[in-house]
Amino acid sequence: QKEVEQNSGPLSVPEGAIASLNCTYSDRGSQSFFWYRQYSGKSPELIMSIYSNGDKEDGRFTAQLNKASQYVSLLIRDSQPSDSATYLCAVNMGGSYIPTFGRGTSLIVHP
Amino acid sequence: SAVISQKPSRDICQRGTSLTIQCQVDSQVTMMFWYRQQPGQSLTLIATANQGSEATYESGFVIDKFPISRPNLTFSTLTVSNMSPEDSSIYLCSVEGRSSYNEQFFGPGTRLTVL
């Protein structure tokens, strides 16, 4: 069974700190990995995509992929209260072009 | 990415009635997707809709309960039929991006409450 696992949280970090969000997946052959941000009452918004092992940086966001260990993480540097949201990990598994979503991790950045 | 709109944005419905949700995209897309997000849960794919063919439903979802139309390359509808309180959820349509990596972009969602 295809699974994407995330800690539901909430993860609470102080403003200015680094928030680290983790995700594991069950299919070793997965190829595409995505992080979505979902504010309360809003729809998911794609913030990062990663396809190769290693790090990918975009502004304050860094996605890290380790296919051997089957995990993908999202680091948010200099966290702001506006980063408070649920972060969904999504993985294209089993050769599917449709991602499987994790349950999301709730992040709270407190001033 | 494409601009996606959905109507209605929210509705409160009575048990046993049906609601049709519309999804409009500002560019032509091959596939459109319908998801459900129940309170506190992640996204569950209901079906994939291709223009000119029957929608493909995921396990646990049937056409009689969730009929889908896809009359052209920019529009789709999802009907939630014979509703019960368990159908209270957010319903989202999505489309694929233009890269080869199959990322998806979501509409604003329809928040449905069934009494």
Side-chain angles (χ1 to χ4, degrees), chain A:
Chain A
Q1 184 174 353
K2 299 184 289 185
E3 291 184 341
V4 177
E5 299 286 345
Q6 295 181 257
N7 187 321
S8 62
L11 172 66
S12 182
V13 300
E15 184 175 356
I18 297 174
S20 178
L21 305 161
N22 300 312
C23 170
T24 60
Y25 56 93
S26 59
D27 177 21
R28 184 174 291 275
S30 301
Q31 295 297 321
S32 302
F33 308 84
F34 311 98
W35 283 99
Y36 288 82
R37 178 176 62 199
Q38 187 173 25
Y39 291 115
S40 180
K42 301 294 186 182
S43 63
E45 172 193 10
L46 180 66
I47 55 172
M48 288 289 284
S49 307
I50 188 166
Y51 317 108
S52 304
N53 275 329
D55 294 359
K56 179 181 178 183
E57 187 174 317
D58 184 359
R60 295 186 296 113
F61 298 100
T62 299
Q64 299 176 318
L65 176 61
N66 184 324
K67 290 186 178 181
S69 299
Q70 295 175 234
Y71 82 78
V72 56
S73 61
L74 179 69
L75 302 179
I76 306 175
R77 290 182 300 282
D78 188 24
S79 296
Q80 301 296 309
S82 58
D83 294 326
S84 298
T86 296
Y87 289 81
L88 301 170
C89 173
V91 180
N92 285 15
M93 297 195 292
S96 174
Y97 56 85
I98 302 173
T100 300
F101 286 83
R103 291 193 168 196
T105 298
S106 174
L107 172 66
I108 299 172
V109 181
H110 54 86

Side-chain angles (χ1 to χ4, degrees), chain B:
Chain B
S1 61
V3 176
I4 308 168
S5 59
Q6 281 185 240
K7 285 195 283 189
S9 59
R10 58 178 63 230
D11 208 340
I12 300 173
C13 300
Q14 296 297 318
R15 181 194 299 261
T17 63
S18 298
L19 176 71
T20 295
I21 302 168
Q22 299 179 5
C23 180
Q24 179 76 52
V25 188
D26 71 342
S27 58
Q28 294 183 341
V29 293
T30 303
M31 289 186 289
M32 297 177 74
F33 306 88
W34 287 99
Y35 286 83
R36 181 174 74 182
Q37 187 174 31
Q38 294 180 306
Q41 303 296 313
S42 189
L43 302 167
T44 301
L45 181 65
I46 297 172
T48 302
N50 288 339
Q51 191 266 336
S53 63
E54 292 283 334
T56 302
Y57 288 83
E58 296 298 302
S59 176
F61 298 96
V62 295
I63 188 171
D64 290 346
K65 175 67 175 178
F66 297 101
I68 288 171
S69 77
R70 184 76 201 275
N72 58 51
L73 290 173
T74 63
F75 187 78
S76 179
T77 67
L78 169 76
T79 298
V80 186
S81 303
N82 188 24
M83 290 184 284
S84 66
E86 292 71 34
D87 294 319
S88 297
S89 186
I90 299 172
Y91 291 86
L92 295 149
C93 69
S94 73
V95 303
E96 283 188 323
R98 299 190 184 280
S99 81
S100 58
Y101 296 105
N102 306 124
E103 70 276 16
Q104 292 203 359
F105 297 93
F106 290 88
T110 296
R111 183 179 295 271
L112 171 63
T113 302
V114 184
L115 303 177

